[in-house]
Amino acid sequence: MGRPHLTGTPWAGGVRPAHRHGGGATADGRPAGGRATRPVAQSDSGPAPGPERASALVDAVRLRLAESGAAPTAGSVAAALRASRPPLGGDDVLNAVRTLRAELVGAGPLDRLLAAPDVTDVLVNGPEEVWVDRGGGLQRAAGRWFPDAEAVRRLAHRLATAAGRRLDDARPWVDARLPDGTRLHAVLPPIAAGCTHISLRVSRHRPFTLEELIAGGALPAVGAQLLAGIMRARLSLVISGGTGSGKTTLLAALLGLVGPGERIVLVEDSAELMPAHPHVVRLQSRPPNQEGLGELTLRDLVRQALRMRPDRLVIGEARGAEVSELLAALNTGHEGGCGTIHANTAGDVPVRLEALGSLAGLDRFSLHSQLRAALDVVVHLARDPRTGQRRVAEIHTLASDPSGLAVTTPAVTFTAGGGCSPGDGWERLARLCAVRGVGLPGRPA
């Protein structure tokens, strides 16, 4: 087994705990409470044997379950299958039960991929285009996974329904979290050319510790000590990086270091952060309904979170006008706030926040003055496009340039081989921690 990689979901080499899902059936046989327990992982060299033969029984089994009011468990699906008297026997019956249950309440043929312990992402571009990331980059899974494009669309609809979200021609995309923690994104034609596109990012049910990140090569031991000291000193920080670089994974690990007596309030678009902490409150945004009403934005939720006595206010990802409320909160005594942001480099973070602040009506100098006062540290993550290795690349502090704008200064730079070197921002980082009674390990060589 290869080394695990830092990712926003699971480690590529980690073993996820067994999943348990509840589930009922609606009148038309759809899941009422979530996805089914996944079948035992099988080879992903192609679809399950005989999917077309088994799929012919889906409607009959769904009807019998709806008539009986039984939940779609393995036993009830098997009983409904026997009542349909299919010309199957032995292993064919077991395969048909697995396939039928996956079609009724699971992710269909993708269940076997999602059940694999090393899979982090499953991407569907069409009936014959399924890609899998096992932590080392995307690889195409051979075979025809769906009979046609309509089957892909039906799966996207069913998963969106399980997540409690709307997906139709009026709103042809969905970004949500499934009941088992898997992150779902789907786009329907004509927005997606040719076929419905589905992106599934598997969620790890237990967050990684800093020790596991060290073992996986995500950061050296001295880097973990520095980050632990930053958290103890209650410095405000953002974690930057590209898509899939591991921002959520690192943030969850750091939040696990927060003292048990502190209250963490999380604000997210879709609930992904699962820190190992006894006192976590989660707020999740909501899209508008069919009438365009009922929308709850991150900006709305940040305002509510400030009234919930947070010891640590956490924004899962700052991507819009809510950055103004976040900066205001960090400037009014809410120390130790955290969040993530998409940025190419740590040095680009002030520019990125400036662009987001403009959405809230903040002028440039107001934004930068708040930013200098509110934010202490930027932790930047990088991903090697050749190997897929995700790692902590830099830790920066905030400073001011001669014009009064906020800029970042490297405090520590980490190499891919596990080495680290100090930068011009090291002394400032050490002072910020020392003022709050936290000593950092010696200056890196």
Side-chain angles (χ1 to χ4, degrees):
M1 182 180 296
R3 290 193 313 176
H5 302 276
L6 179 61
T7 175
T9 45
W11 284 106
V15 178
R16 296 194 303 274
H19 298 275
R20 297 181 180 178
H21 304 283
T26 59
D28 60 356
R30 293 181 301 174
R35 297 173 55 199
T37 303
R38 293 171 179 161
V40 177
Q42 306 174 36
S43 169
D44 63 349
S45 59
E52 294 182 0
R53 177 171 55 176
S55 64
L57 299 171
V58 170
D59 289 339
V61 171
R62 179 185 286 119
L63 179 60
R64 289 183 180 276
L65 290 175
E67 290 174 345
S68 66
T73 63
S76 64
V77 171
L81 181 62
R82 287 194 299 269
S84 300
R85 298 182 179 180
L88 302 173
D91 291 340
D92 285 339
V93 172
L94 295 178
N95 289 334
V97 169
R98 293 191 184 104
T99 303
L100 283 168
R101 192 155 183 247
E103 289 293 334
L104 289 170
V105 293
L110 304 181
D111 261 357
R112 294 181 297 111
L113 295 177
L114 296 172
D118 56 350
V119 168
T120 65
D121 294 85
V122 176
L123 311 176
V124 181
N125 299 341
E128 299 182 25
E129 283 195 63
V130 175
W131 297 77
V132 180
D133 190 345
R134 299 182 182 277
L138 290 172
Q139 296 179 337
R140 185 165 179 172
R144 186 178 182 86
W145 292 84
F146 297 88
D148 51 38
E150 183 58 30
V152 181
R153 184 183 180 106
R154 286 197 301 269
L155 175 61
H157 277 291
R158 185 168 72 250
L159 294 178
T161 300
R165 294 297 178 91
R166 171 187 174 190
L167 181 63
D168 52 34
D169 290 338
R171 187 176 181 85
W173 60 79
V174 64
D175 185 7
R177 181 175 175 270
L178 298 173
D180 71 342
T182 300
R183 179 172 177 177
L184 163 70
H185 186 272
V187 185
L188 301 179
I191 304 300
C195 180
T196 299
H197 290 358
I198 301 175
S199 303
L200 296 170
R201 174 164 290 180
V202 184
S203 174
R204 177 183 168 96
H205 285 235
R206 180 183 64 81
F208 289 104
T209 64
L210 288 183
E211 290 74 18
E212 289 174 314
L213 300 188
I214 295 171
L219 75 164
V222 65
Q225 294 172 5
L226 289 173
L227 293 175
I230 289 170
M231 294 301 291
R232 288 198 306 274
R234 297 179 59 83
L235 300 185
S236 300
L237 66 89
V238 294
I239 299 174
S240 62
T243 300
S245 59
K247 299 184 295 297
T248 301
T249 296
L250 179 61
L251 181 54
L254 294 180
L255 291 176
L257 303 177
V258 173
E262 297 186 53
R263 176 180 170 94
I264 301 175
V265 180
L266 304 179
V267 178
E268 300 179 87
D269 257 335
S270 57
E272 292 184 89
L273 281 167
M274 297 292 174
H277 192 273
H279 194 168
V280 178
V281 177
R282 297 179 176 86
L283 303 180
Q284 184 175 340
S285 66
R286 184 178 68 190
N289 60 19
Q290 288 183 311
E291 290 74 34
L293 304 175
E295 181 180 17
L296 295 176
T297 66
L298 287 180
R299 193 172 188 181
D300 297 326
L301 298 183
V302 170
R303 292 174 180 173
Q304 302 311 311
L306 294 176
R307 293 165 175 79
M308 299 175 69
R309 198 212 170 276
D311 291 304
R312 304 267 184 164
L313 176 61
V314 181
I315 307 295
E317 181 184 341
R319 61 175 68 181
E322 69 278 356
V323 70
S324 63
E325 274 74 20
L326 174 61
L327 293 178
L330 298 180
N331 274 306
T332 54
H334 291 84
E335 297 179 339
C338 308
T340 70
I341 188 169
H342 280 81
N344 294 327
T345 66
D348 291 336
V349 169
V351 178
R352 174 76 170 139
L353 290 173
E354 179 183 324
L356 298 179
S358 66
L359 299 177
L362 289 177
D363 64 79
R364 188 181 191 190
F365 287 99
S366 295
L367 182 283
H368 280 266
S369 62
Q370 287 199 55
L371 179 57
R372 292 196 311 272
L375 190 62
D376 298 312
V377 175
V378 176
V379 181
H380 187 72
L381 303 181
R383 179 180 182 183
D384 190 321
R386 298 166 300 174
T387 65
Q389 175 72 42
R390 302 159 173 94
R391 64 182 182 86
V392 179
E394 297 175 291
I395 299 177
H396 282 220
T397 59
L398 270 290
S400 176
D401 69 6
S403 64
L405 299 180
V407 294
T408 69
T409 304
V412 183
T413 300
F414 302 99
T415 65
C420 59
S421 58
D424 293 339
W426 169 258
E427 298 300 334
R428 174 173 171 77
L429 178 62
R431 284 199 308 272
L432 287 172
C433 292
V435 166
R436 305 188 187 196
V438 176
L440 295 180
R443 180 185 176 95

